[in-house]
Amino acid sequence: MKRNDYIKWDEYFMGIALLSAERSKDPNTRVGACIVGQDNKILSVGYNGMPAGCSDDDYPWDRDNSDDLDNKYLFVCHAELNSIINYAGSDLKGAHIYTTLFPCNECTKALIQAGIKEVIYLSDKYADTSSTIAAKRMMKSAGIKYRAYEPAGKDLVLHL
């Protein structure tokens, strides 16, 4: 008889996003994303980090300097954008994205342009910022659904 206590798709894909976030070198905020096709196949993953060719050691990771050029924000590529860029196929239309942090307005533009139809997010800690408010407004206009990830109520434990 087969086991019935296997994890659900949402748990699986958010787990992949969380694992991807662990690749980030950001000392404050690690974000991961996993793009999934309509057939529940992983299409791409990404995490926040410096652009390819830009050394993690040569660019700032600070976030509170008075000089914008000494902060990470002008340089770091977000997980959602990286997951779109990392996709090797030709079409993301109709796909879902699982992300550990609600997408910013800039990533939302890319998600819309790529044809993503649903965003499943773990945290919305910047919900009151202009960036997130704008992102939600654009998603609504573009017909992108978004919802908070709802854990199944048990911790994931590997049984090898």
Side-chain angles (χ1 to χ4, degrees):
M1 183 181 232
K2 73 175 187 177
R3 44 182 287 259
N4 293 316
D5 60 344
Y6 54 88
I7 63 174
K8 306 290 185 225
W9 287 119
D10 274 1
E11 292 173 295
Y12 178 66
F13 298 129
M14 189 58 76
I16 299 295
L18 284 162
L19 187 61
S20 297
E22 291 303 311
R23 285 286 308 147
S24 175
K25 300 195 178 83
D26 192 316
N28 297 298
T29 306
R30 289 179 295 280
V31 181
C34 177
I35 299 177
V36 179
Q38 296 175 42
D39 56 358
N40 286 327
K41 290 185 180 165
I42 295 172
L43 301 176
S44 185
V45 295
Y47 56 89
N48 59 318
M50 295 300 167
C54 296
S55 172
D56 296 331
D57 298 322
D58 294 339
Y59 286 87
W61 288 104
D62 295 333
R63 57 183 183 171
D64 296 322
N65 281 319
S66 59
D67 183 349
D68 287 346
L69 293 173
D70 289 330
N71 289 315
K72 65 182 179 178
Y73 299 112
L74 295 176
F75 305 104
V76 170
C77 289
H78 290 179
E80 301 88 351
L81 181 61
N82 273 332
S83 65
I84 292 169
I85 292 168
N86 290 340
Y87 180 57
S90 61
D91 192 3
L92 290 172
K93 290 190 181 2
H96 305 325
I97 188 167
Y98 289 78
T99 183
T100 59
L101 184 62
F102 197 93
C104 71
N105 63 303
E106 293 299 321
C107 288
T108 295
K109 293 175 195 176
L111 294 171
I112 292 167
Q113 294 299 86
I116 300 293
K117 77 171 190 177
E118 185 175 15
V119 174
I120 301 94
Y121 61 91
L122 183 61
S123 171
D124 194 9
K125 70 179 181 177
Y126 299 113
D128 295 331
T129 66
S130 297
S131 175
T132 302
I133 293 167
K136 290 176 181 176
R137 183 175 174 185
M138 286 187 285
M139 286 184 199
K140 183 177 180 184
S141 292
I144 295 177
K145 296 177 188 174
Y146 58 88
R147 62 180 168 91
Y149 168 72
E150 297 289 337
K154 64 176 184 171
D155 292 329
L156 298 179
V157 178
L158 293 179
H159 299 280
L160 303 176

